[in-house]
Amino acid sequence: MEEKIMFDNPNIGILGLGHVGLPTALGLADIGWNVIGADDLKSKAQDIANGDAPFYEPGLSEMLIKNINSGRFSVASSVEEAIDASDVIFVCVGTPQNDDGSADLSQIENAGRTIAQNSNTNKLVVEKSTTPVSTSLRIKDTLRRYAKENVEFEVAVNPEFLREGTGLYDFFNPDRIVLGVESEAAKNTLLQIYLPLLAQTNPSDISDKEIYEAKSNDKFVITDVNTAELIKHASNSFLATKISFINLVADICEKSGSDVSKVAKGMGLDPRIGSSFLQAGLGFGGYCLPKDIKAFTKIGEDLGVDMSFFREVDNVNIRRVDQIIDKLKGKLWVLRDKTIAVWGIAFKPGTDDIRESPAMALIEKLIEEEVKLNLHDPKAMEEFKRTSLSEYSNIEYFTDPIDSSNNVDAIIIATDWPEFKSVDYKNIKDAMQYPFVLDARNLLNPVEMLDIGFDYIGVGRYS
Ligand SMILES: NC(=O)c1ccc[n+]([C@@H]2O[C@H](COP(=O)([O-])OP(=O)(O)OC[C@H]3O[C@@H](n4cnc5c(N)ncnc54)[C@H](O)[C@@H]3O)[C@@H](O)[C@H]2O)c1
């Protein structure tokens, strides 16, 4: 006989309405759950409550309005209110990095303590943020330490795998749903929550029998809490490894006159390798891979494991930006007072997120070289203007990439926004001081660029 579900038809709370929390909240509301979200940044919570998405993500604004109007998604006026109204609470707060590379878990600890101090009924607390192995056990201790009398907590781990830029698509089309649990009751509650997503049906149409049988669905990986945390860190470290791997191959290609895009294609067609994350270029960035590989390295070292392999994966990545600067200098010699157009600031296309963006590291180096900067990004320019780099006096911003190329000594493509492929390059060549394109993302066709008359350099390719 299966143990009962912990909460039948639970009310769901989401703490932290960022790049993970908001799509998750809206996705869960959209499949039929009552979801209340909260963010301790009051202005952000207020914007979301008013139907204004706080960051760019395809489809997010529409999904926000839709689920506010359906009444299934609401924003609490305080974190405490969301805790009180929920049975199952997904913790989606930030886990930034400390100076030593370890994960800063203060937001996690704070969320755990706040939940404990404000819960008057039993709760299932689900850690969705990316955390080092054993963090959920620390959350469990915290919950117990601060719990009110007669209130009990269970902790589960449900790492998130969505990719910014396709966050909502990824919610509705998961490759896998990892559930780290400590009891049948917690497992069945989480199966109940996610089953409508896989069964494409309403929560009310799902029978108990289907919930109990769901554990044999291939998409669910059901395990213990520590293993669930490790699945996330190991996955991101593997993806980072693929990128650094192909970037080193690109270096060999450059020295040997070979073409890394063909090497990657030839490798990627092998299903054991796969073609994704084999694009040579400026390296990985964003709020996941750079900090997660550092945190994974640190927790491994703390546990006495030699993590030099992963440390080198990170070092290879950090060197990519310097290599692009070297290529620029190789062509233009002294950079001071040259005008350089940088296309792309976001860490990847489809988002305005510039956290740990390699383009930001590149811009910082160009500023150190005292160049004049013409900046263009289809979505991330406003985010950039909020950073200290924007205080540099020699920056001009352009909403149109063509305008940004007037009289420049070089264009650097730093983010592979697909719209950069369809720019009329013939049109801009003559407007440039010198027609040099440094394609740090291998976005363009080298043969076409050379045919137009550009001096063109990519990464790990012939030219
Ligand atoms: N961004 C991604 O693509 C991605 C993908 C998978 C996993 N993750 C992981 O998910 C977690 C969240 O990442 P993110 O990108 O959504 O971060 P984010 O910075 O966009 O959002 C975190 C939010 O939590 C809020 N917050 C902090 N403490 C809080 C508290 N005690 N109560 C309520 N709200 C609080 C912050 O104000 C912020 O709005 C991280 O651990 C990250 O590593 C991120």
Side-chain angles (χ1 to χ4, degrees), residues 226-294:
N226 279 354
T227 305
E229 286 172 326
L230 271 175
I231 289 171
K232 177 65 189 178
H233 258 174
S235 297
N236 276 2
S237 299
F238 185 73
L239 294 175
T241 303
K242 276 187 99 175
I243 294 176
S244 282
F245 179 95
I246 201 67
N247 276 331
L248 277 180
V249 174
D251 292 347
I252 298 172
C253 287
E254 277 178 17
K255 304 268 184 219
S256 61
S258 322
D259 183 343
V260 74
S261 43
K262 290 283 157 46
V263 175
K265 184 172 182 197
M267 289 172 62
L269 286 170
D270 181 337
R272 293 171 303 175
I273 297 173
S275 60
S276 63
F277 281 70
L278 279 187
Q279 284 75 38
L282 200 50
F284 55 80
Y287 195 55
C288 287
L289 302 194
K291 76 175 175 57
D292 291 351
I293 196 161
K294 286 186 183 72

Side-chain angles (χ1 to χ4, degrees), residues 14-23 38-42 44 48 55 57 79 91-96 106-112 114 128-131 159-165 232 236 286-288 291-292 347-348 353 355:
I14 306 282
L15 296 195
L17 294 174
H19 292 81
V20 164
L22 187 54
D39 198 289
D40 68 351
L41 216 61
K42 291 266 181 252
K44 191 175 196 175
I48 297 170
F55 49 88
E57 182 69 42
V79 173
V91 176
C92 304
V93 302
T95 50
S106 53
Q107 293 180 39
I108 293 275
E109 191 276 342
N110 180 281
T114 312
K128 201 171 237 321
S129 302
T130 304
T131 53
E160 181 52 59
F161 297 98
L162 68 74
R163 300 158 297 174
E164 286 179 34
K232 177 65 189 178
N236 276 2
Y287 195 55
C288 287
K291 76 175 175 57
D292 291 351
F347 85 93
K348 61 185 277 195
D353 198 346
R355 291 178 292 181

Side-chain angles (χ1 to χ4, degrees), residues 54 213 424:
E213 284 172 1
D424 183 354

